Amino acid sequence: MNRILDAILLPIGEGNRVLAQISAGKIDELISHTYNGDHEKMKLAINNVGSVLQCLQNELGRLTVHPMQGCSRNAAIPPVSGRFAGS
């Protein structure tokens, strides 16, 4: 009986823990355990949210480097790359 409860409750607890961290702005940790069925789908969705936020954070950091370094109007700014690049 305990194994059944663990199989149900542990993935939910881990998902809640990582979501709480994401909501507090800590986006560097993802769920690493492997689960079955809907729990695995939930894990993948949570990890995708974290990954997208990590990519956005990196991209914003890259885009703000030039203004912070006193980039002139005529300086060449590198194009956006990765998942968020325009088509």
Side-chain angles (χ1 to χ4, degrees):
M1 184 65 149
N2 285 337
R3 278 187 264 156
I4 293 171
L5 287 175
D6 285 348
I8 294 169
L9 298 177
L10 290 177
I12 294 171
E14 182 70 0
N16 285 337
R17 185 185 67 75
V18 172
L19 284 174
Q21 289 182 353
I22 289 172
S23 71
K26 187 173 188 272
I27 59 172
D28 60 341
E29 186 175 346
L30 303 175
I31 301 171
S32 60
H33 293 59
T34 300
Y35 302 111
N36 294 315
D38 286 342
H39 289 127
E40 183 67 14
K41 290 177 187 176
M42 178 186 71
K43 177 196 91 169
L44 293 173
I46 292 169
N47 284 350
N48 285 339
V49 168
S51 295
V52 167
L53 290 173
Q54 289 170 358
C55 288
L56 285 171
Q57 183 181 48
N58 291 338
E59 193 64 26
L60 286 172
R62 190 185 71 76
L63 291 172
T64 58
V65 167
H66 291 287
M68 291 172 58
Q69 292 177 346
C71 181
S72 71
R73 275 186 115 176
N74 296 326
I77 298 175
V80 175
S81 62
R83 291 168 80 169
F84 305 103
S87 49

